[in-house]
Amino acid sequence: MSSKVDYLTCDTCSKKFRPGEVELTCPDCGPDLGTLTVHYDYESVANVLTRDVLDSRQDQSHWRYLEILPVDSRPDALHPRVGWTPLYDLPKLASEVGVGRLWIKDDGLNPSASFKDRASSVGVAHAMEQGRKVITAASTGNAASSLSLFAACAGIRAVIFVPETAPEAKVAQLLMFGADVLAVRGTYDQAFDLCLDTALSQKWYCRNTAVNPYLGEGKKTAALEICEQLRWDVPEAVFVSVGDGCIIGGLWKGFCDAEKLGWIDRKPRIYGVQASGSAPLVHAFDRGDRTVTPEPAETVADSICVGKPRDHIKALRAVRESGGAMIAVDDEQILDAMRTLARKGGVFAEPAGATGFAGLVQAASASMLGKDERVVCLVTGNGLKDVATAISAVDTGPVGIGADLNSVDNWLREQGSKGA
Ligand SMILES: *Cc1c(COP(=O)(O)O)cnc(C)c1O
Ligand SMILES: [Zn+2]
């Protein structure tokens, strides 16, 4: 077990645990309410991992934050580069949206093409340190394809539970990386419960979001990168899409850790964006509850089609403590955001990847943000993950023509007559 983790606390009863004392969640509060938060000896880390040390660090991946991750070292076997994704400064798009400054952080550029690589790499490194032989996960698709990639690198068997409706590209990745794929005839929420039960009965390492406290530690690195890439001058607001709530909880943890280490002296407001057909966290936020009530879920954004968000406590805490909000956007707004991000931001996002931006557009037009505020919006997954939805989101198909110049001339004339 990593010597760096000082202790863990239960998100509900605050009970303290030593690293390794419990496998996943607080035994008193259970997997739903007893998710754990990881704590380090911040004073010691602050002495070794300063802004100056980071400035001189060559490692262009999220392992540059190793001192504040729950593993002893970066295993050599996990060579694919995770994190340190680009933060694009987009002044034209900022003024169209109506904010002072806008950066898009493209996490679709991770090795398996989603944000999930931040968590999977840390989870697999942790499993390797424990000498585990089998890792399992339930996933809407991306967590699984990401886990399969790193499990393959580590030479560990991966057993994956996905809903049978998972998009083909994600299933293709799973199979290509050599995972055992169980396509559950049921929802993601059902696949999750089945996977958790199997992990406990088979004693497999469980990469399921929320119940494994170390995954959020991988996800927090995006916040650390935002701080560093903006030269420690943090934005006023950060927008991100939300399904289970692990990414948003991890982001907030990252900004809190950065503050504890003395890297930053204030933190951004965090806005979580859900699809209106799958918005239990938005409803809990509006009701003032600290936990969710599960709801049926349906949205084009499959990665955030979650009726029972597992990291609900951390997610709601992130938006409340930061002074942000949980907001909902409908599927049309998500498809519109995909087109805008592609055509004006140069970023091809899958539906859930564009949902944070859809939320930003809505929040800005509802004057939830100041006109001169600086905003970071995360793109969490690549558009090639779900080509069918991308095709359905564009207004025109390709124009079939003959393989000769005349055909092109005819097409151009038609265009002219349409006044294009
Ligand atoms: C998993 C995922 C999300 C949501 O993350 P949660 O931790 O479940 O809230 C958003 N976008 C993409 C592309 C994802 O794969
Ligand atoms: Zn507890």
Side-chain angles (χ1 to χ4, degrees), residues 278-312:
S278 171
L281 284 164
V282 178
H283 302 149
F285 177 77
D286 289 344
R287 284 193 301 263
D289 293 349
R290 72 176 278 278
T291 58
V292 289
T293 307
E295 299 171 11
E298 198 183 332
T299 167
V300 67
D302 68 289
S303 299
I304 52 171
C305 189
V306 179
K308 186 180 178 197
R310 308 289 167 154
D311 234 347
H312 51 150

Side-chain angles (χ1 to χ4, degrees), residues 114-116 140 142-143 170 209 219 241-248 303-304 306 350 352-353 380-382:
S114 88
F115 194 104
K116 297 291 194 295
T140 54
N142 285 337
K170 298 180 184 181
T209 199
K219 292 186 170 185
S241 56
V242 177
D244 274 303
C246 187
I247 294 182
I248 196 168
S303 299
I304 52 171
V306 179
E350 69 164 89
T380 48
N382 194 286

Side-chain angles (χ1 to χ4, degrees), residues 243-273:
D244 274 303
C246 187
I247 294 182
I248 196 168
L251 280 176
W252 182 236
K253 173 73 160 36
F255 286 113
C256 292
D257 278 5
E259 190 179 51
K260 283 184 184 148
L261 294 170
W263 298 350
I264 57 173
D265 49 21
R266 62 191 169 79
K267 303 190 287 296
R269 306 192 305 274
I270 312 281
Y271 292 85
V273 189

